[in-house]
Amino acid sequence: EGYRIASWPRYAGQYRERAILGLAIMAAVLATFLSLVFVFAPRLPIASWPDKDESRLGTVLGFACVLFNTVMYGSPLAVILEVFRTRSVDAMPLSLSVGVTICSAFWAAYALYLSPPDFFILAPNVTGVLLSALQLLIYARFSACSSAKRSEALLPASGDITPSRPPQLGADQLLLADPRSNFTDQLHAPRPEVPELS
């Protein structure tokens, strides 16, 4: 994931400077947040949860993981307004939604397998399964609309849907055609001069 994020400015084109600035701000916010957590979490007047024997730092990091994982699992839903407005799922990544559903389901099963079940693993992954299922339902609902729009885009603008006939080869072209060459090259090749019979 880090490599993908770090290589993003390379492909940002005209927005390269903006991408680099965004990555720098994101790194600064992350470093500041982690520093504050590691410095102040042990001093917070909170009880360790769910296990009283664990540290306060583990509790704070656990809740931070729940929060950020939930946001990550719901991030593909950021385009939901565009999907409803355009009635097209072209902006929704289907492979990401399917992958997140499978990954979240396995992590949730693992959290339930632990004795006692681990809340900090279970909570974001159950939420991830639900959010991913919602994404898949939206995709299923609007994918038919998207494919219909794609089909309409392929039709001629005049509305005439009669198929055009392929170009006909004359007898002279059939006799002079080289069987080893590509057929489409033969279709678009200039017609050879044929002497008129007198």
Side-chain angles (χ1 to χ4, degrees):
E1 188 71 22
Y3 173 75
R4 186 176 70 87
I5 292 172
S7 63
W8 184 51
R10 179 178 177 190
Y11 303 103
Q14 63 182 0
Y15 302 105
R16 180 184 170 97
E17 291 82 18
R18 191 180 298 175
I20 292 172
L21 179 64
L23 288 175
I25 291 171
M26 184 180 72
V29 167
L30 183 63
T32 303
F33 176 76
L34 288 176
S35 300
L36 291 174
V37 165
F38 280 100
V39 170
F40 292 111
R43 297 183 178 96
L44 288 175
I46 59 171
S48 296
W49 188 85
D51 187 359
K52 302 291 184 203
D53 297 330
E54 292 295 324
S55 68
R56 292 182 192 143
L57 178 61
T59 301
V60 171
L61 284 176
F63 279 111
C65 289
V66 168
L67 173 70
F68 290 124
N69 276 320
T70 302
V71 168
M72 178 192 69
Y73 288 142
S75 63
L77 288 173
V79 297
I80 196 167
L81 292 177
E82 182 180 347
V83 170
F84 280 108
R85 183 178 54 80
T86 62
R87 299 207 166 292
S88 170
V89 291
D90 292 338
M92 280 187 82
L94 176 63
S95 58
L96 179 65
S97 299
V98 170
V100 165
T101 304
I102 294 169
C103 183
S104 299
F106 275 99
W107 273 110
Y110 174 73
L112 288 171
Y113 172 76
L114 296 176
S115 181
D118 190 325
F119 171 79
F120 295 130
I121 298 174
L122 184 64
N125 287 294
V126 167
T127 307
V129 168
L130 296 174
L131 290 174
S132 299
L134 177 63
Q135 293 166 30
L136 293 174
L137 287 172
I138 291 170
Y139 197 93
R141 167 65 178 92
F142 291 108
S143 63
C145 297
S146 295
S147 58
K149 283 186 180 182
R150 274 190 232 105
S151 298
E152 287 175 11
L154 295 175
L155 292 176
S158 66
D160 180 21
I161 57 171
T162 27
S164 59
R165 295 184 59 171
Q168 299 295 316
L169 291 177
D172 55 342
Q173 287 178 310
L174 289 174
L175 293 174
L176 298 173
D178 183 4
R180 294 169 299 197
S181 66
N182 189 351
F183 181 70
T184 56
D185 293 340
Q186 294 173 20
L187 288 177
H188 301 293
R191 296 183 71 154
E193 292 294 325
V194 179
E196 292 186 18
L197 297 175
S198 42

